[in-house]
Amino acid sequence: MVPVRTCVGCRSRASRSSLLRVVARGSELVVDHSATLPGRGAWLHPTGECLEKALQRRAFGRALRVEGMLDTKAIQAALRENRLNGTVNSNE
């Protein structure tokens, strides 16, 4: 049986392998590529749409059970550089 998780952005269920795990390290959200960092994790599709929905709904704070503002710059930068799906854009 394939492990299934729910995306905090679009709220749809998907296999764990197609989602990205995000954890809170202090007050910063960090992408957990290996899905082995300690603590609660939130699962997210590696798309800009799901990230925007999660940010609008303030879903990360609820999913991770963290109070206060979370710094999302690392996740947004990874998305801009297209690193969330394992590839990096090159301008060559």
Side-chain angles (χ1 to χ4, degrees), residues 36-64:
T36 58
L37 289 176
R40 292 187 65 85
W43 296 85
L44 179 74
H45 283 111
T47 64
E49 294 172 1
C50 285
L51 177 61
E52 288 303 317
K53 286 181 184 178
L55 293 175
Q56 287 174 353
R57 296 177 48 243
R58 296 185 178 116
F60 288 114
R62 284 192 306 276
L64 300 173

mmCIF file of all heavy atoms in Angstrom, residues 36-64:
data_model
loop_
_atom_site.group_PDB
_atom_site.id
_atom_site.type_symbol
_atom_site.label_atom_id
_atom_site.label_comp_id
_atom_site.label_asym_id
_atom_site.label_seq_id
_atom_site.Cartn_x
_atom_site.Cartn_y
_atom_site.Cartn_z
ATOM 1 N N THR A 36 13.268 13.398 6.437
ATOM 2 C CA THR A 36 13.812 12.783 7.646
ATOM 3 C C THR A 36 14.072 13.773 8.776
ATOM 4 O O THR A 36 14.503 13.348 9.849
ATOM 5 C CB THR A 36 15.142 12.072 7.329
ATOM 6 O OG1 THR A 36 16.051 13.026 6.786
ATOM 7 C CG2 THR A 36 14.938 10.928 6.361
ATOM 8 N N LEU A 37 13.836 15.061 8.562
ATOM 9 C CA LEU A 37 14.064 16.035 9.625
ATOM 10 C C LEU A 37 13.076 15.792 10.766
ATOM 11 O O LEU A 37 11.939 15.363 10.538
ATOM 12 C CB LEU A 37 13.898 17.461 9.096
ATOM 13 C CG LEU A 37 14.981 17.954 8.156
ATOM 14 C CD1 LEU A 37 14.640 19.348 7.631
ATOM 15 C CD2 LEU A 37 16.324 17.978 8.848
ATOM 16 N N PRO A 38 13.495 16.050 11.998
ATOM 17 C CA PRO A 38 12.602 15.810 13.137
ATOM 18 C C PRO A 38 11.484 16.846 13.203
ATOM 19 O O PRO A 38 11.581 17.940 12.660
ATOM 20 C CB PRO A 38 13.538 15.941 14.343
ATOM 21 C CG PRO A 38 14.652 16.807 13.876
ATOM 22 C CD PRO A 38 14.819 16.515 12.413
ATOM 23 N N GLY A 39 10.420 16.467 13.874
ATOM 24 C CA GLY A 39 9.310 17.381 14.094
ATOM 25 C C GLY A 39 8.162 17.129 13.131
ATOM 26 O O GLY A 39 8.224 16.268 12.260
ATOM 27 N N ARG A 40 7.113 17.904 13.329
ATOM 28 C CA ARG A 40 5.932 17.788 12.478
ATOM 29 C C ARG A 40 6.259 18.278 11.080
ATOM 30 O O ARG A 40 7.002 19.230 10.904
ATOM 31 C CB ARG A 40 4.780 18.610 13.043
ATOM 32 C CG ARG A 40 4.239 18.059 14.354
ATOM 33 C CD ARG A 40 2.997 18.794 14.787
ATOM 34 N NE ARG A 40 1.886 18.596 13.866
ATOM 35 C CZ ARG A 40 1.062 17.563 13.912
ATOM 36 N NH1 ARG A 40 1.224 16.631 14.805
ATOM 37 N NH2 ARG A 40 0.053 17.467 13.055
ATOM 38 N N GLY A 41 5.648 17.661 10.110
ATOM 39 C CA GLY A 41 5.844 18.064 8.731
ATOM 40 C C GLY A 41 4.522 18.389 8.072
ATOM 41 O O GLY A 41 3.482 17.839 8.422
ATOM 42 N N ALA A 42 4.560 19.295 7.119
ATOM 43 C CA ALA A 42 3.406 19.612 6.288
ATOM 44 C C ALA A 42 3.767 19.191 4.871
ATOM 45 O O ALA A 42 4.910 19.361 4.439
ATOM 46 C CB ALA A 42 3.096 21.103 6.345
ATOM 47 N N TRP A 43 2.821 18.647 4.165
ATOM 48 C CA TRP A 43 3.068 18.130 2.816
ATOM 49 C C TRP A 43 2.458 19.065 1.790
ATOM 50 O O TRP A 43 1.370 19.603 1.990
ATOM 51 C CB TRP A 43 2.497 16.723 2.699
ATOM 52 C CG TRP A 43 3.205 15.784 3.618
ATOM 53 C CD1 TRP A 43 2.937 15.557 4.932
ATOM 54 C CD2 TRP A 43 4.343 14.987 3.306
ATOM 55 N NE1 TRP A 43 3.832 14.650 5.454
ATOM 56 C CE2 TRP A 43 4.699 14.276 4.474
ATOM 57 C CE3 TRP A 43 5.095 14.782 2.148
ATOM 58 C CZ2 TRP A 43 5.764 13.389 4.525
ATOM 59 C CZ3 TRP A 43 6.151 13.895 2.195
ATOM 60 C CH2 TRP A 43 6.475 13.215 3.363
ATOM 61 N N LEU A 44 3.174 19.263 0.679
ATOM 62 C CA LEU A 44 2.790 20.265 -0.314
ATOM 63 C C LEU A 44 3.164 19.776 -1.704
ATOM 64 O O LEU A 44 4.246 19.220 -1.901
ATOM 65 C CB LEU A 44 3.537 21.567 -0.004
ATOM 66 C CG LEU A 44 3.322 22.764 -0.898
ATOM 67 C CD1 LEU A 44 1.947 23.373 -0.632
ATOM 68 C CD2 LEU A 44 4.404 23.810 -0.639
ATOM 69 N N HIS A 45 2.263 19.994 -2.674
ATOM 70 C CA HIS A 45 2.637 19.735 -4.063
ATOM 71 C C HIS A 45 3.715 20.746 -4.454
ATOM 72 O O HIS A 45 3.635 21.911 -4.043
ATOM 73 C CB HIS A 45 1.440 19.912 -5.008
ATOM 74 C CG HIS A 45 0.489 18.769 -4.988
ATOM 75 N ND1 HIS A 45 -0.781 18.873 -4.472
ATOM 76 C CD2 HIS A 45 0.628 17.501 -5.419
ATOM 77 C CE1 HIS A 45 -1.381 17.709 -4.594
ATOM 78 N NE2 HIS A 45 -0.555 16.856 -5.161
ATOM 79 N N PRO A 46 4.707 20.361 -5.236
ATOM 80 C CA PRO A 46 5.784 21.293 -5.608
ATOM 81 C C PRO A 46 5.377 22.234 -6.737
ATOM 82 O O PRO A 46 6.026 22.310 -7.773
ATOM 83 C CB PRO A 46 6.921 20.356 -6.022
ATOM 84 C CG PRO A 46 6.237 19.139 -6.505
ATOM 85 C CD PRO A 46 4.994 19.000 -5.669
ATOM 86 N N THR A 47 4.276 22.956 -6.530
ATOM 87 C CA THR A 47 3.799 23.913 -7.526
ATOM 88 C C THR A 47 3.566 25.257 -6.868
ATOM 89 O O THR A 47 3.295 25.341 -5.664
ATOM 90 C CB THR A 47 2.475 23.442 -8.158
ATOM 91 O OG1 THR A 47 1.462 23.411 -7.151
ATOM 92 C CG2 THR A 47 2.617 22.069 -8.801
ATOM 93 N N GLY A 48 3.631 26.292 -7.669
ATOM 94 C CA GLY A 48 3.376 27.636 -7.172
ATOM 95 C C GLY A 48 1.943 27.819 -6.714
ATOM 96 O O GLY A 48 1.679 28.539 -5.745
ATOM 97 N N GLU A 49 1.004 27.168 -7.396
ATOM 98 C CA GLU A 49 -0.406 27.298 -7.037
ATOM 99 C C GLU A 49 -0.670 26.785 -5.621
ATOM 100 O O GLU A 49 -1.340 27.443 -4.835
ATOM 101 C CB GLU A 49 -1.279 26.532 -8.026
ATOM 102 C CG GLU A 49 -1.258 27.082 -9.424
ATOM 103 C CD GLU A 49 -1.979 26.168 -10.405
ATOM 104 O OE1 GLU A 49 -2.516 25.123 -9.987
ATOM 105 O OE2 GLU A 49 -2.004 26.510 -11.590
ATOM 106 N N CYS A 50 -0.153 25.609 -5.324
ATOM 107 C CA CYS A 50 -0.386 25.037 -3.990
ATOM 108 C C CYS A 50 0.320 25.851 -2.913
ATOM 109 O O CYS A 50 -0.217 26.031 -1.825
ATOM 110 C CB CYS A 50 0.063 23.577 -3.960
ATOM 111 S SG CYS A 50 -1.078 22.478 -4.822
ATOM 112 N N LEU A 51 1.508 26.347 -3.216
ATOM 113 C CA LEU A 51 2.214 27.180 -2.248
ATOM 114 C C LEU A 51 1.423 28.446 -1.961
ATOM 115 O O LEU A 51 1.240 28.832 -0.806
ATOM 116 C CB LEU A 51 3.615 27.520 -2.738
ATOM 117 C CG LEU A 51 4.425 28.449 -1.835
ATOM 118 C CD1 LEU A 51 4.636 27.820 -0.467
ATOM 119 C CD2 LEU A 51 5.749 28.800 -2.474
ATOM 120 N N GLU A 52 0.918 29.099 -2.997
ATOM 121 C CA GLU A 52 0.137 30.329 -2.805
ATOM 122 C C GLU A 52 -1.132 30.062 -2.005
ATOM 123 O O GLU A 52 -1.486 30.836 -1.119
ATOM 124 C CB GLU A 52 -0.201 30.969 -4.150
ATOM 125 C CG GLU A 52 0.995 31.610 -4.823
ATOM 126 C CD GLU A 52 1.673 32.661 -3.952
ATOM 127 O OE1 GLU A 52 0.963 33.472 -3.313
ATOM 128 O OE2 GLU A 52 2.906 32.656 -3.888
ATOM 129 N N LYS A 53 -1.819 28.968 -2.312
ATOM 130 C CA LYS A 53 -3.034 28.637 -1.557
ATOM 131 C C LYS A 53 -2.710 28.389 -0.085
ATOM 132 O O LYS A 53 -3.443 28.830 0.797
ATOM 133 C CB LYS A 53 -3.703 27.393 -2.146
ATOM 134 C CG LYS A 53 -4.415 27.648 -3.445
ATOM 135 C CD LYS A 53 -5.056 26.369 -3.944
ATOM 136 C CE LYS A 53 -5.694 26.561 -5.293
ATOM 137 N NZ LYS A 53 -6.274 25.288 -5.794
ATOM 138 N N ALA A 54 -1.625 27.671 0.169
ATOM 139 C CA ALA A 54 -1.240 27.386 1.555
ATOM 140 C C ALA A 54 -0.895 28.663 2.301
ATOM 141 O O ALA A 54 -1.243 28.820 3.477
ATOM 142 C CB ALA A 54 -0.060 26.417 1.578
ATOM 143 N N LEU A 55 -0.208 29.593 1.632
ATOM 144 C CA LEU A 55 0.148 30.859 2.275
ATOM 145 C C LEU A 55 -1.087 31.710 2.531
ATOM 146 O O LEU A 55 -1.212 32.332 3.587
ATOM 147 C CB LEU A 55 1.158 31.616 1.413
ATOM 148 C CG LEU A 55 2.536 30.967 1.284
ATOM 149 C CD1 LEU A 55 3.396 31.747 0.312
ATOM 150 C CD2 LEU A 55 3.212 30.835 2.631
ATOM 151 N N GLN A 56 -2.019 31.757 1.578
ATOM 152 C CA GLN A 56 -3.244 32.537 1.752
ATOM 153 C C GLN A 56 -4.087 31.998 2.897
ATOM 154 O O GLN A 56 -4.670 32.757 3.665
ATOM 155 C CB GLN A 56 -4.073 32.525 0.469
ATOM 156 C CG GLN A 56 -3.502 33.357 -0.639
ATOM 157 C CD GLN A 56 -4.289 33.196 -1.932
ATOM 158 O OE1 GLN A 56 -5.183 32.360 -2.029
ATOM 159 N NE2 GLN A 56 -3.946 33.978 -2.936
ATOM 160 N N ARG A 57 -4.141 30.689 3.022
ATOM 161 C CA ARG A 57 -4.949 30.052 4.062
ATOM 162 C C ARG A 57 -4.227 29.967 5.398
ATOM 163 O O ARG A 57 -4.799 29.507 6.384
ATOM 164 C CB ARG A 57 -5.332 28.637 3.616
ATOM 165 C CG ARG A 57 -6.212 28.590 2.410
ATOM 166 C CD ARG A 57 -6.521 27.162 1.947
ATOM 167 N NE ARG A 57 -6.949 26.314 3.045
ATOM 168 C CZ ARG A 57 -6.294 25.231 3.462
ATOM 169 N NH1 ARG A 57 -5.191 24.857 2.871
ATOM 170 N NH2 ARG A 57 -6.742 24.521 4.458
ATOM 171 N N ARG A 58 -2.953 30.355 5.421
ATOM 172 C CA ARG A 58 -2.118 30.231 6.621
ATOM 173 C C ARG A 58 -2.108 28.789 7.115
ATOM 174 O O ARG A 58 -2.191 28.508 8.317
ATOM 175 C CB ARG A 58 -2.606 31.185 7.713
ATOM 176 C CG ARG A 58 -2.468 32.638 7.325
ATOM 177 C CD ARG A 58 -2.857 33.533 8.480
ATOM 178 N NE ARG A 58 -2.679 34.918 8.100
ATOM 179 C CZ ARG A 58 -3.673 35.786 8.006
ATOM 180 N NH1 ARG A 58 -4.899 35.422 8.295
ATOM 181 N NH2 ARG A 58 -3.426 37.015 7.645
ATOM 182 N N ALA A 59 -1.985 27.876 6.170
ATOM 183 C CA ALA A 59 -2.092 26.454 6.473
ATOM 184 C C ALA A 59 -0.849 25.896 7.152
ATOM 185 O O ALA A 59 -0.943 24.924 7.902
ATOM 186 C CB ALA A 59 -2.363 25.677 5.184
ATOM 187 N N PHE A 60 0.313 26.477 6.900
ATOM 188 C CA PHE A 60 1.540 25.935 7.488
ATOM 189 C C PHE A 60 1.530 26.033 9.009
ATOM 190 O O PHE A 60 1.913 25.090 9.690
ATOM 191 C CB PHE A 60 2.780 26.640 6.929
ATOM 192 C CG PHE A 60 3.077 26.278 5.508
ATOM 193 C CD1 PHE A 60 2.971 27.226 4.510
ATOM 194 C CD2 PHE A 60 3.466 24.997 5.164
ATOM 195 C CE1 PHE A 60 3.246 26.903 3.202
ATOM 196 C CE2 PHE A 60 3.746 24.658 3.857
ATOM 197 C CZ PHE A 60 3.634 25.615 2.866
ATOM 198 N N GLY A 61 1.099 27.151 9.541
ATOM 199 C CA GLY A 61 1.055 27.315 10.987
ATOM 200 C C GLY A 61 0.150 26.296 11.655
ATOM 201 O O GLY A 61 0.493 25.725 12.691
ATOM 202 N N ARG A 62 -1.005 26.051 11.055
ATOM 203 C CA ARG A 62 -1.934 25.069 11.620
ATOM 204 C C ARG A 62 -1.392 23.652 11.485
ATOM 205 O O ARG A 62 -1.443 22.859 12.421
ATOM 206 C CB ARG A 62 -3.295 25.174 10.932
ATOM 207 C CG ARG A 62 -4.114 26.351 11.383
ATOM 208 C CD ARG A 62 -5.549 26.248 10.906
ATOM 209 N NE ARG A 62 -5.673 26.062 9.470
ATOM 210 C CZ ARG A 62 -5.653 27.033 8.579
ATOM 211 N NH1 ARG A 62 -5.500 28.277 8.983
ATOM 212 N NH2 ARG A 62 -5.788 26.786 7.292
ATOM 213 N N ALA A 63 -0.890 23.319 10.318
ATOM 214 C CA ALA A 63 -0.406 21.953 10.083
ATOM 215 C C ALA A 63 0.801 21.627 10.962
ATOM 216 O O ALA A 63 0.944 20.501 11.438
ATOM 217 C CB ALA A 63 -0.051 21.767 8.612
ATOM 218 N N LEU A 64 1.659 22.617 11.173
ATOM 219 C CA LEU A 64 2.871 22.391 11.956
ATOM 220 C C LEU A 64 2.680 22.708 13.438
ATOM 221 O O LEU A 64 3.603 22.544 14.229
ATOM 222 C CB LEU A 64 4.019 23.229 11.381
ATOM 223 C CG LEU A 64 4.370 22.907 9.933
ATOM 224 C CD1 LEU A 64 5.382 23.896 9.402
ATOM 225 C CD2 LEU A 64 4.879 21.487 9.807
#
